[in-house]
Amino acid sequence: MTQATSPLQDADLDALVRPDKVHRKVYVDPDIFALEMERIYGHIWIYIGHDSQVPYTGDYVASQIAGHQVVMVRGADDSVNVVYNRCPHKGAMLVPEGTGNTRKLFRCPYHGWTFHLDGTMMTAPLKNGYEGTCFDPANPEFHMTKLARVERYRGFVFASMAAEGPTLKEFLGGAITSIDNLCDRSPVGEVEVAGGVFRVMQQSNWKVFYENLHDTMHPMVTHESSVVAARQQYRALPEGSPMPLELLVMDGNGEPYPFWESLELRGFDNGHGYMEAIFNPNAGNDPVMQEYKAAMHAAYGEARTAEILGMNRHNTVIYGSGSPHTVFQQFRVIRPVAVDRTLIEIYTFRLKGAPPAVFERALLYANVINSPSSNVMPDDIEVYNRVQLGNQNKVGGEWVSMHRYHGTDRKLDDGSVSINGTSELPMRNQFAAWRRYMLAGDAA
């Protein structure tokens, strides 16, 4: 990918990240945001969608990478293609953002040029009008442009705008185990997107959400109101009643500090990582879990089932793409729009072969925790915006602290791990990757 010129020099960028702090400009400077879209999003693997979203020929999902409109489409040969959503004639988008079916070809709504589902040109109306010019349907200049690289892993489709770089597996590193665990929770080892999507435009920089995913110091403060409401609701139930799941998932944010300090935080290369889960619903023995575990035992045996369900992770960070939640089968896709705007798309997955009640539980979690109308997400959105507005102050302070438990991280063969679950290891790990991507010498 061609590097654009920028007034920012490598020395300027390097000075913005220190081992225990970052400069506020990384969140509010439009020039830095533009360079991030080029040097980070223009090179790394980005999650596009899941192949279950395009089951039939012509099915498509249109979205964007770093402001570039792209479309994932199922080809007639059952391939999954990712091309830029742009007609080479006048530049019009071939399909609108969202999902749909374009049948056996793309047809431009402006002048009627048509393209195969892999983006190669078919024909154009009144071709005789192009005689004597350089127009040739076989010329790549008149094809829809494919993204440089596209790979699928267990149905998850990633693409890179860069022609060269690590493979998808190399890029994901240790974070790939979370994708494996999400799929392995299905008795047949497969998942599919179901239940629609929540879309939320947050008034904050994209990096704020990534940091918060593993910020274990904020839940009992930011989400105090929803914790209090859940406990009040529970006290109104008959004495001795079990706490319903919808209240339990909100109450979990109110655990005391020693609980959070006991959790595991793990950081991987390239900015990825995970946080141990707050609680494990699969540890119960209610009728839903009994039926689910019976299906898993039949598929994997008891020992392997215990291993799969025992991997109890809350939020995994796939840097640049978003966050899968394996226990409740969610994927929050994080798409930067502007220096102070970030689009979040929340998808729910169905575990193929699992009892329907397991999917209903996942939908419940999505609505209670991730819905924009929930009692939980609005708290985060409000705080993210306050971070954004506060960091715009030029005289209120220049640096953002990431000191907590700095100097105590342990480097293991399979990633870095903190000695304390309230460490800011994840933030330091993400900015170590950010710094490496942003310095021009490593950008390619």
Side-chain angles (χ1 to χ4, degrees), residues 350-373:
R350 179 187 287 116
L351 303 177
K352 291 186 179 181
V358 175
F359 177 62
E360 293 171 6
R361 184 191 68 178
L363 289 177
L364 181 149
Y365 182 88
N367 279 278
V368 171
I369 300 297
N370 292 334
S371 165
S373 61

Side-chain angles (χ1 to χ4, degrees), residues 143-319:
H143 297 174
M144 297 173 68
T145 304
K146 295 182 178 180
L147 271 77
R149 292 180 294 159
V150 178
E151 287 192 29
R152 274 190 283 178
Y153 183 76
R154 301 194 72 166
F156 292 81
V157 181
F158 290 79
S160 172
M161 297 166 65
E164 297 180 352
T167 66
L168 176 60
K169 287 186 178 181
E170 290 170 341
F171 171 74
L172 292 174
I176 204 169
T177 57
S178 291
I179 295 178
D180 285 330
N181 186 249
L182 174 57
C183 297
D184 290 345
R185 286 172 177 265
S186 157
V188 299
E190 296 180 1
V191 298
E192 60 184 355
V193 173
V197 59
F198 292 126
R199 305 179 86 233
V200 184
M201 186 68 78
Q202 299 181 353
Q203 304 300 311
S204 52
N205 187 266
W206 63 278
K207 297 184 292 296
V208 175
F209 195 176
Y210 278 106
E211 294 173 36
N212 189 72
L213 287 167
H214 293 167
D215 186 327
T216 56
M217 288 294 291
H218 88 280
M220 68 293 293
V221 179
T222 303
H223 301 300
E224 181 180 8
S225 61
S226 60
V227 170
V228 170
R231 292 176 178 175
Q232 289 177 340
Q233 187 73 19
Y234 176 60
R235 285 195 293 270
L237 298 177
E239 187 175 351
S241 299
M243 180 175 278
L245 181 60
E246 56 267 35
L247 300 183
L248 184 64
V249 296
M250 288 193 292
D251 180 72
N253 283 323
E255 295 285 357
Y257 286 115
F259 169 83
W260 299 97
E261 290 188 314
S262 69
L263 298 179
E264 180 187 3
L265 295 173
R266 182 65 62 93
F268 300 113
D269 290 341
N270 301 322
H272 314 314
Y274 69 78
M275 165 191 160
E276 186 179 357
I278 301 172
F279 60 91
N280 189 354
N282 296 317
N285 203 32
D286 58 274
V288 173
M289 287 300 100
Q290 289 179 0
E291 185 181 5
Y292 174 47
K293 288 179 179 178
M296 292 290 285
H297 290 161
Y300 297 107
E302 292 189 19
R304 176 60 179 148
T305 295
E307 182 181 11
I308 292 170
L309 302 186
M311 184 180 285
N312 190 28
R313 297 178 181 177
H314 190 60
N315 296 325
T316 294
V317 164
I318 298 178
Y319 196 65

Side-chain angles (χ1 to χ4, degrees), residues 275-412:
M275 165 191 160
E276 186 179 357
I278 301 172
F279 60 91
N280 189 354
N282 296 317
N285 203 32
D286 58 274
V288 173
M289 287 300 100
Q290 289 179 0
E291 185 181 5
Y292 174 47
K293 288 179 179 178
M296 292 290 285
H297 290 161
Y300 297 107
E302 292 189 19
R304 176 60 179 148
T305 295
E307 182 181 11
I308 292 170
L309 302 186
M311 184 180 285
N312 190 28
R313 297 178 181 177
H314 190 60
N315 296 325
T316 294
V317 164
I318 298 178
Y319 196 65
S321 290
S323 177
H325 189 312
T326 60
V327 177
F328 285 106
Q329 298 92 58
Q330 321 285 311
F331 200 128
R332 283 182 281 181
V333 182
I334 302 173
R335 303 197 188 280
V337 176
V339 70
D340 59 355
R341 283 188 297 145
T342 305
L343 176 64
I344 311 297
E345 298 176 329
I346 302 102
Y347 294 90
T348 304
F349 288 81
R350 179 187 287 116
L351 303 177
K352 291 186 179 181
V358 175
F359 177 62
E360 293 171 6
R361 184 191 68 178
L363 289 177
L364 181 149
Y365 182 88
N367 279 278
V368 171
I369 300 297
N370 292 334
S371 165
S373 61
S374 76
N375 288 339
V376 178
M377 178 183 278
D379 296 334
D380 288 317
I381 294 175
E382 170 70 17
V383 171
Y384 299 163
N385 182 240
R386 292 194 188 193
V387 169
Q388 191 69 27
L389 295 175
N391 279 322
Q392 289 175 2
N393 291 326
K394 296 181 179 180
V395 295
E398 292 294 306
W399 294 93
V400 175
S401 168
M402 295 181 181
H403 292 81
R404 190 166 179 79
Y405 284 100
H406 174 248
T408 66
D409 306 334
R410 291 179 291 137
K411 182 68 175 179
L412 305 179

